[in-house]
């Protein structure tokens, strides 16, 4: 995310009139994508680190069902979209 942030910010500053306005626009532009990554990371952590009874079996069932691959494919497709 940091590398994407720098690329987007550099491009925007190159066309900038007002730096404060550009920074505000940059924040608006990056917010949804960063939130998407953050939520995905949180969900991965929850699935992988739960100590609730039955969670290990549930995690294995999820992996065997193809759900993990489908989720990964969906996440990566979204992240492959242009920044």
């Amino acid at each position: 995310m940091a590398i994407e942030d720098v690329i987007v910010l550099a491009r925007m500053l190159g066309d900038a009139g007002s730096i404060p306005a550009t920074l505000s626009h940059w924040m608006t532009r990056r917010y949804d994508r960063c939130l998407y990554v953050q939520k995905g990371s949180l969900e991965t952590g929850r699935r992988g680190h739960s100590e609730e009874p039955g969670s290990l079996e549930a995690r294995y069932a999820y992996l065997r069902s193809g759900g993990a691959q489908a989720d990964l494919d969906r996440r990566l497709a979204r992240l492959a979209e242009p920044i």
Side-chain angles (χ1 to χ4, degrees), residues 23-72:
L23 292 174
S24 178
H25 183 238
W26 173 80
M27 178 68 179
T28 300
R29 181 173 168 187
R30 296 295 297 154
Y31 185 82
D32 287 340
R33 185 174 175 94
C34 291
L35 186 61
Y36 175 78
V37 170
Q38 182 184 28
K39 286 181 177 181
S41 295
L42 183 59
E43 181 61 28
T44 298
R46 284 188 182 137
R47 286 185 188 274
H49 299 293
S50 175
E51 295 183 15
E52 295 295 319
S55 63
L56 183 60
E57 292 80 9
R59 187 165 44 247
Y60 288 153
Y62 171 69
L63 291 169
R64 283 191 298 273
S65 74
Q69 187 63 51
D71 284 346
L72 178 61

